[in-house]
Amino acid sequence: MRRLLIAVYLVFALAVAFSYTEDLPEQIFLSNGNMISVLGKNIVEDSEVCEINIQIPSISGLKDKPFEDYLNATIESEITDYRTQIEEMAQAAYEESKTSEWPFRKFSIYVLYEAYLSDGILSIDMIFSEYTGGAHPGASRRTYNISVDRCRLVALHSVLDSAAAEDRLNELITGVIGKREDLWPEYFKGVTTDQGFYLKAGRLCVYFQPYEIGPWAAGMPEFCFSLGELLKQ
């Protein structure tokens, strides 16, 4: 009986050691007297087929509560769906490895986020990364940009608000890309309607996915410029 209890304790201890959820530090922002908070949870799990370390942000304090609930549910669903997809791939690869000459290599899932508030825009900037075999992991970046006053998602063209500002942005990005040897200048045709971006400390930062304008070694290139300078008439 004693040995059984010890065995049960060890199994429980291992499960706790490799599966836990903790709250992340709360971030507080002020916008026109309105207090917005972003509180995240960090889920860490480890099994023989997949290692998981994901952060899920939750926004509170927006004036439009139904929109806030929709936004939080959308972000959590996106992360959950991503996790489920990779876990299913991992389990399938693990089962296949039992009858294959190739050894199974554990999969991994990572989701990290940062939150910023600048010029009335709350940006939730997320990095998704997974290892599913091969020479290197896959990665992508996704950002939700929310107008705090209007309680709606905004695209880049809404922030720039004019063709002249967009032209200035394209010229600046083209100039920087042209000076870097690790990027492909011919691949940049101008910012798009669904261009990834975020705002931080008065600066507009535009980013690109791996392979979009450069090789994997270039990562996810980003270019930051003063928003005031871009918007000047």
Side-chain angles (χ1 to χ4, degrees):
M1 183 65 177
R2 179 181 174 82
R3 290 183 178 178
L4 177 60
L5 289 174
I6 292 174
V8 170
Y9 171 79
L10 288 174
V11 169
F12 177 76
L14 287 172
V16 171
F18 294 99
S19 177
Y20 66 87
T21 300
E22 64 178 356
D23 288 335
L24 296 170
E26 185 177 18
Q27 294 176 265
I28 304 293
F29 304 100
L30 291 175
S31 178
N32 294 330
N34 191 32
M35 186 173 73
I36 309 296
S37 75
V38 179
L39 178 63
K41 59 182 177 181
N42 188 195
I43 300 172
V44 178
E45 296 180 10
D46 197 2
S47 70
E48 60 183 343
V49 299
C50 195
E51 177 183 338
I52 298 165
N53 191 333
I54 60 176
Q55 299 178 351
I56 304 176
S58 180
I59 304 163
S60 64
L62 295 179
K63 291 180 290 186
D64 187 334
K65 191 63 169 60
F67 172 74
E68 179 182 280
D69 292 341
Y70 162 79
L71 185 61
N72 286 329
T74 298
I75 293 174
E76 182 165 5
S77 177
E78 181 177 15
I79 295 172
T80 300
D81 290 348
Y82 168 73
R83 170 183 173 171
T84 299
Q85 178 186 5
I86 304 303
E87 282 187 306
E88 289 177 350
M89 291 172 59
Q91 190 61 47
Y94 176 71
E95 295 300 329
E96 184 179 349
S97 71
K98 294 178 180 180
T99 57
S100 171
E101 60 179 307
W102 302 106
F104 174 76
R105 299 182 67 180
K106 184 186 293 190
F107 284 34
S108 65
I109 306 168
Y110 292 90
V111 180
L112 305 175
Y113 79 86
E114 294 283 351
Y116 315 107
L117 180 64
S118 180
D119 298 87
I121 304 294
L122 175 68
S123 296
I124 306 295
D125 184 26
M126 302 186 294
I127 301 291
F128 290 68
S129 178
E130 74 282 343
Y131 179 75
T132 59
H136 54 71
S140 62
R141 193 170 185 176
R142 312 175 197 180
T143 305
Y144 287 81
N145 294 291
I146 306 110
S147 169
V148 173
D149 291 335
R150 299 182 179 182
C151 289
R152 69 180 188 186
L153 294 170
V154 294
L156 180 58
H157 66 84
S158 297
V159 175
L160 294 175
D161 201 30
S162 74
E166 184 171 322
D167 288 342
R168 279 194 288 273
L169 177 60
N170 286 330
E171 289 174 5
L172 289 170
I173 294 175
T174 299
V176 176
I177 292 177
K179 296 177 182 177
R180 290 181 53 173
E181 296 181 356
D182 62 332
L183 299 179
W184 304 325
E186 67 275 14
Y187 279 64
F188 178 64
K189 308 297 183 183
V191 294
T192 61
T193 55
D194 60 348
Q195 181 70 52
F197 76 98
Y198 64 93
L199 278 79
K200 181 181 180 181
R203 293 172 67 79
L204 171 67
C205 297
V206 173
Y207 63 82
F208 298 84
Q209 305 297 343
Y211 297 112
E212 195 171 358
I213 60 170
W216 171 259
M220 290 179 274
E222 71 173 36
F223 309 90
C224 297
F225 309 101
S226 166
L227 182 61
E229 288 297 311
L230 289 169
L231 298 180
K232 68 180 181 180
Q233 299 297 322

